[in-house]
Amino acid sequence: RTLGRYADYLVVNVSSPNTPGLRDLQKRKVLLDLLLSVRNEVDALPEPRPPLLLKVAPDLNDSECQDIADVSREAKIDGIIVSNTTIARPETLRSAHKAEAGGLSGAPLFEPSTAVLRNLYQRTEGKMTLIGVGGVSSGKDAYEKIRNGASAVQLYSALVYEGTPLVSRIKKELASLLAENGFSSVDEAVGSGVPKPQLRSARRWYFLYLL
């Protein structure tokens, strides 16, 4: 109520693995009640109202993805951020600290978060804005997020290693990949890698957002 009018967009984060019990809020009925309540609060803000998004985990199964898709439509939120960090620990991890509790980000997050992104794009029938997050460190990574349904891409871990010049590099690489594959815009590429019958385009947001 106090800060909403100053926000570019608002996020309901129910997926941080570092807060005990938080992910339980991703369950269908609890999540619907929460989102409807927040939706009412956002609708009461003065114009222009910021978009309302939901941030989900990369560890969702098919049934949970369907619940997220159904609830998001029913609550009439504006988009979904896919995804937060993962509680999984791939065998490829080599650090002595790999068994520590908490969320894992960076390269190991790319495949599971992209799989959930693709799943939600299919289940929302391409009608909802999705933001792809997780393991993005190159234009190729950003392109794969877009092909799997993302209208926008967020960066985090890669910035620790490369800093802000990473953004310019990703934009250049992404522009080249779009041209090489016959796309004249990001809009044309969104969801192009997802098998689908007929999907109506969602409202698109075009930016690389620094978390």
Side-chain angles (χ1 to χ4, degrees):
R1 293 175 183 175
T2 303
L3 300 177
R5 69 187 67 189
Y6 305 111
D8 291 320
Y9 64 93
L10 299 170
V11 180
V12 177
N13 183 356
V14 292
S15 53
S16 171
N18 303 314
T19 305
L22 183 64
R23 288 192 171 188
D24 290 340
L25 296 179
Q26 292 178 123
K27 295 178 179 178
R28 188 182 186 107
K29 185 181 185 308
V30 177
L31 181 60
L32 179 59
D33 291 343
L34 173 62
L35 289 180
L36 287 174
S37 177
V38 177
R39 176 79 271 173
N40 288 336
E41 291 293 337
V42 173
D43 288 345
L45 292 173
E47 296 279 6
R49 300 184 186 94
L52 175 63
L53 291 88
L54 172 68
K55 188 170 187 177
V56 300
D59 310 300
L60 301 172
N61 58 37
D62 285 345
S63 176
E64 291 168 330
C65 282
Q66 187 61 59
D67 285 345
I68 294 290
D70 292 342
V71 166
S72 297
R73 282 189 291 251
E74 187 171 349
K76 297 180 180 180
I77 65 170
D78 301 295
I80 305 173
I81 299 177
V82 190
S83 68
N84 214 313
T85 53
T86 181
I87 57 174
R89 293 296 183 269
E91 292 298 324
T92 52
L93 295 181
R94 294 176 293 178
S95 171
H97 306 291
K98 64 183 180 180
E100 287 185 351
L104 178 67
S105 63
L109 181 58
F110 183 82
E111 289 189 12
S113 62
T114 304
V116 172
L117 173 68
R118 180 170 58 252
N119 196 326
L120 286 172
Y121 182 76
Q122 291 175 310
R123 294 178 188 278
T124 57
E125 301 178 318
K127 299 173 185 176
M128 182 167 290
T129 296
L130 303 178
I131 298 179
V133 193
V136 177
S137 61
S138 68
K140 181 181 178 181
D141 294 336
Y143 181 59
E144 284 304 306
K145 293 290 187 184
I146 292 166
R147 291 185 70 249
N148 281 282
S151 299
V153 177
Q154 285 185 354
L155 309 174
Y156 183 69
S157 295
L159 288 172
V160 175
Y161 300 99
E162 296 193 41
T164 55
L166 173 68
V167 179
S168 295
R169 178 168 67 79
I170 286 179
K171 290 172 66 177
K172 291 177 181 177
E173 293 173 356
L174 178 57
S176 295
L177 285 167
L178 289 170
E180 289 172 11
N181 289 277
F183 297 113
S184 60
S185 67
V186 171
D187 187 42
E188 291 182 3
V190 173
S192 61
V194 182
K196 50 193 177 297
Q198 290 183 342
L199 301 180
R200 290 187 298 172
S201 296
R203 174 169 55 88
R204 305 301 182 198
W205 300 351
Y206 307 110
F207 59 91
L208 287 170
Y209 177 75
L210 305 183
L211 184 62

